[in-house]
Structure formats: C-alpha cells, structure tokens
Amino acid sequence: MKLSNSSKTIIIILKVIITALILYFIFKKIQFQQLITDFVSIKIWIILLIIFSTVIKLLIQAYNWGKYLKLNSDYVPKKYEVLKSYFVGLALRFLGPGGIGVIGKIYFVNNKKKATLASIGVERIFLTWKNLFFGAFAAIFYFTNISMVIKVTVLVAVIFLPFIIYLFSFFTKNENIQLYLLNYLKRTPGIMLAQIIFVLITFYQYFILLRNFVDLSFFKIMISVPLIHISHIIPLSFNGFGLRETFAIEVFSKYGIGAELAVTATFLIFFFNSVLPALIGLYYIFRIKHNKEKIIYDN
C-alpha cells in the first residue's frame, strides 16, 4: 500500500517528536560537565586510529555496494561511479526516516532503475543481517536467563538467513530474475565475510575509545556493542538518534560505564562513521548536479 504525501509527512513529524523526547530523557540522566570532560580527555592518537579504521570500513562497504550493483550482469560502471554513488547514499539516508532517502541513489548510477533499486534492497538485507548476526551472538553471553538451546537456534537461523533469498529462484520462470539470484548466491559468502570484518573493525573502534577510560576486554565489547547496534534496525526514531544512546546507556552500565561515557562513545563512533562520510556524499551530490547543469547550459 502506497502512502500519501500527507501520511509520509505525519510519520516524519512523529519520528522527529519521538526522537526529541528520547533525547530529552537521555539528557536528564547525564551530567554535561562530565560529558565535556570525557570528550576533551580523548587522546589524539585514538581519534586518528578511529579515522583510519573508518576509511577501511568505508572501502569495505563501497566494495560490497559494487557487488550489489553487479548482481545485474549488464551493469558496467563508469569511472569511480560505484564509490561516488556509495558516498551519495550515505548523505541521502539522512533525508528521511529509517534511511529511506538512500533510494535516491538510483539517480546517481548508470544502471536500470529497477536493478539499482533491487541492489539497494540487497544492501539493506546485509546491513540488517550483520546487526542480527552479532546481536544473536552477543545474546548468548549477555542474556543468561534465556535457554541456551533457544539462543543457539536463533544464531544458526540468522547465519543462514541471507541464503533464503535464493529460494525464490525456484518459484519463478523469469530467466533474468533467476540469473540475478544466482549471482546473488555466488557473492553471498564473500559479502557476509566482508560484513563480519566490517563489524570487527567497529568493535576495535569502541575498544580503543573506551579503554581510554575503563579497563574493558575486547570480548565484552563484542557482547555489548551488537546489542546497542540492534537499535539501527528499529525504525522508531529519526536515523536512530536517541535509541542508540539509550541502548548504550543500558548495556554499558553492566560493565560499570557511566551514561556520559556511553553517550560520548556512541556519538563519536557515529560521527566518524556516518556524519563525516555523509559530508563527502553531499559534496558529490552538488558536484554532479553542477556538472549536469553546466552541460545543459553549454548545449
């Protein structure tokens, strides 16, 4: 069912209100003086390592984005098109609730619109999968009151979740769809591995940042951060603001990490991993728009 423009506007307004309310209650829990103290006490080498590791993460996801596009065998990218359109997507996801603005990437790729839209859908599947996979792994150790059989069953089910998509090839006679799904199946293991490496780098970012303040093992990071990032797949607030910090305060409290430090860590990781790259995407949007306008003017 397609929503009307007024319905979409109402949803956006509601999510902005919910986000504002969540942030309001978060700010009531923290001491801003301590928050500022945590920020300024972060060593410069930690910031540099986070920036360097972020570059690696961006290259991994841009590489995956190229794989998603090439699920369409006819797609031949222009020079740097995959990289540029990936950064454009990072900027566009801030334009709507739940990152829906990322759909705008279809206008920045020299590919069939439906094929690019399908690639965006596949990208969303694997972005969600990595959160579910590590969340299920973390749940085994974090939630001790839940049956181990249930937790392991959920983890195994999540591991095989991406492969279920291929089963649709048995229910269609369309050769193009069958070829698309076959390409999907061939690339799935490599994409899953890349996503795992991506998340492990995120763990490392949290690890070096939090170790600046508390004595925390890498394993504890592995079973806390995934539970925080589960908030990314809950379309309740605007771009995850507030929910991410709420989850962080709750989860990190188990390891003696105060609300101020929890907010500091999640905000910095979000800033370097999402906000700064989005600015690069914004630059490409204006540059591409300017070049198109120039071509029209010259003609």
Side-chain angles (χ1 to χ4, degrees):
M1 181 178 178
K2 189 174 181 180
L3 295 175
S4 63
N5 290 332
S6 59
S7 298
K8 292 177 181 178
T9 302
I10 292 172
I11 291 174
I12 292 175
I13 292 174
L14 285 175
K15 290 196 174 188
V16 171
I17 292 173
I18 291 172
T19 302
L21 287 172
I22 294 174
L23 289 174
Y24 170 75
F25 287 113
I26 288 175
F27 290 149
K28 285 187 68 176
K29 294 181 180 180
I30 64 176
Q31 299 178 7
F32 280 95
Q33 185 60 45
Q34 183 61 47
L35 191 68
I36 295 172
T37 301
D38 289 342
F39 264 115
V40 299
S41 63
I42 300 172
K43 298 179 178 63
I44 186 64
W45 68 266
I46 293 177
I47 299 297
L48 293 175
L49 268 178
I50 291 176
I51 294 174
F52 176 74
S53 56
T54 295
V55 172
I56 297 175
K57 290 175 63 178
L58 292 171
L59 291 176
I60 289 174
Q61 293 296 48
Y63 175 74
N64 275 343
W65 170 236
K67 283 192 171 185
Y68 304 142
L69 288 171
K70 291 174 184 176
L71 291 177
N72 172 24
S73 302
D74 297 328
Y75 173 65
V76 179
K78 294 181 179 179
K79 188 177 182 180
Y80 302 125
E81 182 177 78
V82 171
L83 187 64
K84 290 179 180 179
S85 60
Y86 170 70
F87 278 107
V88 165
L90 293 180
L92 292 176
R93 73 178 184 176
F94 281 89
L95 295 182
I100 195 172
V102 75
I103 294 176
K105 280 198 291 189
I106 63 175
Y107 300 107
F108 295 87
V109 178
N110 184 34
N111 191 17
K112 296 178 181 177
K113 297 295 184 290
K114 288 184 178 179
T116 305
L117 188 61
S119 297
I120 293 172
V122 172
E123 180 184 44
R124 177 55 55 186
I125 287 172
F126 281 104
L127 290 177
T128 303
W129 175 83
K130 68 178 174 60
N131 290 323
L132 290 175
F133 171 69
F134 281 98
F137 169 81
I140 292 176
F141 303 94
Y142 192 88
F143 299 107
T144 55
N145 58 329
I146 299 177
S147 169
M148 182 60 70
V149 174
I150 294 176
K151 292 185 289 188
V152 172
T153 301
V154 170
L155 177 60
V156 172
V158 170
I159 290 174
F160 289 99
L161 200 57
F163 295 98
I164 295 177
I165 304 298
Y166 178 69
L167 296 179
F168 287 103
S169 65
F170 297 105
F171 300 97
T172 179
K173 294 181 179 180
N174 188 305
E175 292 183 0
N176 290 330
I177 295 177
Q178 288 179 338
L179 179 59
Y180 189 93
L181 291 173
L182 181 60
N183 289 335
Y184 169 87
L185 181 65
K186 291 178 179 178
R187 289 171 170 79
T188 291
I191 294 172
M192 292 171 70
L193 178 60
Q195 294 290 11
I196 290 172
I197 295 172
F198 175 90
V199 177
L200 289 175
I201 295 174
T202 302
F203 292 162
Y204 175 73
Q205 291 179 324
Y206 273 97
F207 177 69
I208 60 174
L209 181 56
L210 291 173
R211 287 276 292 187
N212 188 65
F213 302 95
V214 295
D215 184 17
L216 194 65
S217 68
F218 190 81
F219 182 72
K220 288 181 179 178
I221 292 293
M222 290 184 66
I223 62 177
S224 57
V225 171
L227 299 177
I228 295 169
H229 285 189
I230 284 293
S231 63
H232 293 170
I233 63 176
I234 303 175
L236 184 61
S237 66
F238 200 84
N239 283 307
F241 287 120
L243 272 182
R244 181 173 46 250
E245 289 73 22
T246 300
F247 278 44
I249 291 172
E250 178 62 30
V251 174
F252 280 143
S253 65
K254 184 174 181 178
Y255 303 111
I257 297 175
E260 294 79 12
L261 181 53
V263 171
T264 298
T266 52
F267 175 78
L268 275 179
I269 298 299
F270 173 73
F271 178 78
F272 285 112
N273 285 282
S274 299
V275 178
L276 286 184
L279 295 178
I280 298 175
L282 192 62
Y283 163 76
Y284 280 130
I285 290 174
F286 284 114
R287 182 178 175 181
I288 293 170
K289 182 180 179 182
H290 172 74
N291 290 339
K292 286 183 178 179
E293 290 176 347
K294 187 175 184 300
I295 291 173
I296 294 173
Y297 177 79
D298 291 341
N299 291 337

